[in-house]
């Protein structure tokens, strides 16, 4: 960020905070509804800065982690780190500060100015550590590195210590569950498609890992889902018992169809995944999948969004699906409405997911509250 961008960013933040204070001591004005796409002030009256985020529910509190963006088009690079907020009611968020800071050493993997996207935090019961995974692109290398990064902390809000970044599952072939058809098996002696070719090219050094999420199953096993093979194919890979590495067991999902922004959840024993297409920062249609086993087969079902602007996910792109604690059948679809020319102004679209039998549906609402969930 240059000096002018820095001053602009500070001025924007200060004006917003001042405006909120004039409107009557913001921190005391409790919010009671979600307003998708609008400015969402935190406890200090500043628009929440946690983009491409995910939420961990732990000991009665929700913790929202996301990319801290800065003003202007440089704002999509990681100038600060991963921001954390906490909440007990999901409407009102307390700024908990920067959970993972970028490094001042330009040689560090997470050097200031690198690209650090879609952080997700999970808790490991065996090690009692909080584990943060993210998509990492090395400083000055554009989107070429395509690595997964991991950091851990003893405290949920951090500070997190960066451990390593790499491309997962070097030298490993996919796991083929019994249902897998012969045509799904990759043959590196004669790759059958462009995406198979990328898979085979990356076999020795590890698979590309970009847009991502992490999911912990009821049995404590954790999975990392990421856009791989030049974003052509999603991979779902098992993490080691301490959640800080990959076991080498993984599958490929919706091969060759360019799925980004994966968000995974489980409802009534069925696994669901919502993702997007691949159009940079511009919105496209969401897509959803379901599976009876985490290892698939993952069945493609098309767009879960309905009504006006459903073909562009109401201007957003999925990032996480949040199960609401203590409520049955209550899941929130979380998406980002990116503003790449002024990244800090990116908005959040949170919408309830409706279940129609085993199908899901998402509808636009200008304003809503948790009362929409019946139980
Ligand atoms: C879409 C991805 O979902 C984002 O996380 C980001 O990587 C942009 N592409 C970059 O164009």
């Amino acid at each position: 960020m240059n000096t002018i961008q820095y001053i602009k960013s500070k001025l924007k933040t200060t004006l917003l905070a001042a405006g909120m204070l004039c409107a009557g001591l913001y921190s005391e004005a409790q919010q009671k509804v979600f307003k998708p796409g609008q400015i969402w002030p935190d406890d200090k009256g500043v628009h929440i800065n946690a983009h491409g985020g995910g939420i961990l529910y732990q000991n009665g509190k929700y913790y929202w982690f996301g990319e801290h963006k800065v003003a202007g088009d440089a704002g999509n690079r990681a100038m600060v780190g991963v921001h954390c907020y906490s909440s007990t009611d999901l409407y009102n968020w307390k700024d908990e500060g920067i959970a993972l800071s970028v490094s001042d050493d330009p040689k560090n993997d997470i050097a200031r100015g690198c690209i650090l996207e879609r952080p997700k935090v999970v808790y490991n019961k065996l090690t009692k550590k909080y584990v943060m995974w993210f998509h990492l692109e090395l400083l000055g290398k554009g989107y070429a590195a395509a690595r997964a990064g991991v950091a851990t902390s003893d405290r949920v809000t951090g500070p997190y210590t960066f451990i390593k970044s790499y491309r997962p599952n070097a030298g490993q072939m996919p796991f083929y569950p019994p249902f897998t058809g012969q045509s799904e098996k990759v043959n590196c002696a004669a790759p059958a498609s462009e995406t198979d070719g990328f898979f085979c090219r990356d076999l020795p050094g590890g698979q590309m890992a970009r847009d991502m999420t992490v999911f912990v199953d009821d049995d404590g096993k954790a999975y990392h889902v990421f856009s791989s093979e030049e974003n052509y194919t999603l991979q779902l890979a098992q993490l080691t018992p301490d959640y800080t590495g990959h076991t080498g067991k993984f599958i490929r999902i919706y091969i060759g169809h360019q799925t980004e922004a994966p968000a995974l959840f489980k409802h009534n024993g069925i696994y669901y995944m919502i993702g997007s297409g691949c159009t940079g920062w511009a919105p496209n249609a969401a897509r959803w999948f379901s599976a009876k086993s985490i290892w698939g087969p993952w069945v493609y079902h098309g767009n879960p969004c309905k009504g006006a602007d459903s073909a562009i996910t109401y201007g957003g792109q999925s990032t996480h699906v949040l199960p609401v604690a203590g409520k049955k059948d209550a899941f929130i679809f979380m998406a980002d409405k990116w503003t790449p020319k002024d990244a800090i102004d990116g908005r959040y679209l949170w919408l309830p997911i409706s279940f129609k039998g085993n199908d899901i549906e998402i509808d636009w609402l200008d304003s809503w509250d948790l009362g929409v969930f019946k139980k």
Side-chain angles (χ1 to χ4, degrees):
M1 188 168 30
N2 62 34
T3 316
I4 293 176
Q5 282 169 330
Y6 180 79
I7 293 169
K8 267 189 182 169
S9 148
K10 282 283 164 205
L11 202 63
K12 200 166 181 177
T13 307
T14 314
L15 285 177
L16 187 60
M20 294 301 180
L21 281 172
C22 293
L25 286 176
Y26 203 88
S27 57
E28 287 173 16
Q30 291 291 301
Q31 300 172 80
K32 295 192 174 78
V33 287
F34 302 110
K35 292 182 183 159
Q38 300 204 16
I39 289 284
W40 194 342
D42 67 8
D43 61 322
K44 295 174 184 152
V46 178
H47 180 49
I48 291 172
N49 197 342
H51 310 265
I55 291 182
L56 173 71
Y57 182 71
Q58 186 75 352
N59 301 328
K61 259 194 193 173
Y62 296 93
Y63 294 89
W64 179 354
F65 297 86
E67 302 159 28
H68 179 103
K69 305 267 195 190
V70 295
D73 56 8
N76 285 311
R77 287 189 281 120
M79 308 307 292
V80 177
V82 175
H83 210 133
C84 175
Y85 296 82
S86 68
S87 174
T88 49
D89 64 6
L90 291 175
Y91 308 113
N92 297 281
W93 291 90
K94 176 173 179 255
D95 183 356
E96 298 281 2
I98 300 302
L100 173 69
S101 297
V102 292
S103 167
D104 287 324
D105 174 2
K107 293 207 169 60
N108 192 290
D109 282 7
I110 58 165
R112 191 180 311 282
C114 70
I115 295 171
L116 194 165
E117 294 181 338
R118 300 184 176 271
K120 303 287 176 297
V121 173
V122 287
Y123 178 65
N124 186 286
K125 286 186 184 152
L126 301 174
T127 61
K128 300 192 168 44
K129 293 223 183 258
Y130 295 89
V131 182
M132 178 190 291
W133 282 93
F134 48 88
H135 162 205
L136 179 70
E137 299 292 349
L138 301 175
L139 180 62
K141 307 250 187 263
Y143 277 86
R147 292 192 190 190
V150 62
T152 62
S153 174
D154 293 326
R155 292 182 61 231
V156 60
T157 53
Y160 284 74
T161 305
F162 174 68
I163 310 278
K164 61 190 167 188
S165 79
Y166 61 101
R167 286 186 173 189
N169 296 324
Q172 303 293 329
M173 291 301 279
F175 167 57
Y176 295 118
F179 54 79
T180 310
Q182 203 57 37
S183 63
E184 288 211 345
K185 295 193 180 170
V186 60
N187 174 9
C188 286
S193 62
E194 202 176 10
T195 196
D196 282 11
F198 294 134
F199 174 89
C200 298
R201 178 197 67 190
D202 294 336
L203 188 57
Q207 297 298 321
M208 299 177 91
R210 292 203 181 113
D211 275 17
M212 53 140 281
T213 193
V214 175
F215 171 75
V216 179
D217 209 344
D218 305 329
D219 60 4
K221 290 190 174 131
Y223 302 87
H224 178 207
V225 185
F226 48 95
S227 303
S228 194
E229 305 169 24
E230 302 287 357
N231 290 2
Y232 275 89
T233 294
L234 272 183
Q235 293 186 7
L236 180 150
Q238 191 177 51
L239 292 176
T240 51
D242 69 358
Y243 300 171
T244 67
H246 293 79
T247 62
K249 187 174 180 182
F250 68 98
I251 54 169
R252 300 165 77 213
I253 297 174
Y254 206 36
I255 295 170
H257 291 279
Q258 297 191 298
T259 304
E260 284 194 324
L264 208 157
F265 64 105
K266 193 176 184 182
H267 175 249
N268 286 347
I270 295 178
Y271 299 88
Y272 293 83
M273 183 149 52
I274 303 179
S276 74
C278 187
T279 51
W281 299 112
N284 55 54
R287 52 186 70 176
W288 73 281
F289 306 84
S290 66
K292 289 191 185 124
S293 153
I294 193 90
W295 297 116
W298 283 88
V299 180
Y300 168 81
H301 299 283
N303 188 354
C305 298
K306 305 292 165 207
D309 289 337
S310 57
I312 52 163
T313 317
Y314 319 112
Q317 187 184 29
S318 44
T319 184
H320 187 68
V321 171
L322 174 68
V324 180
K327 283 191 179 253
K328 217 177 146 280
D329 308 331
F331 292 81
I332 300 175
F333 171 69
M334 292 169 51
D336 293 283
K337 192 170 180 179
W338 306 113
T339 50
K341 294 211 167 91
D342 189 18
I344 198 172
D345 194 35
R347 306 297 171 86
Y348 309 102
L349 308 182
W350 286 24
L351 292 165
I353 293 178
S354 318
F355 291 90
K356 314 271 171 186
N358 288 336
D359 288 352
I360 58 168
E361 205 174 284
I362 299 167
D363 293 276
W364 176 259
L365 293 168
D366 288 332
S367 168
W368 64 283
D369 63 35
L370 295 173
V372 301
F373 299 118
K374 300 286 175 270
K375 299 167 210 162

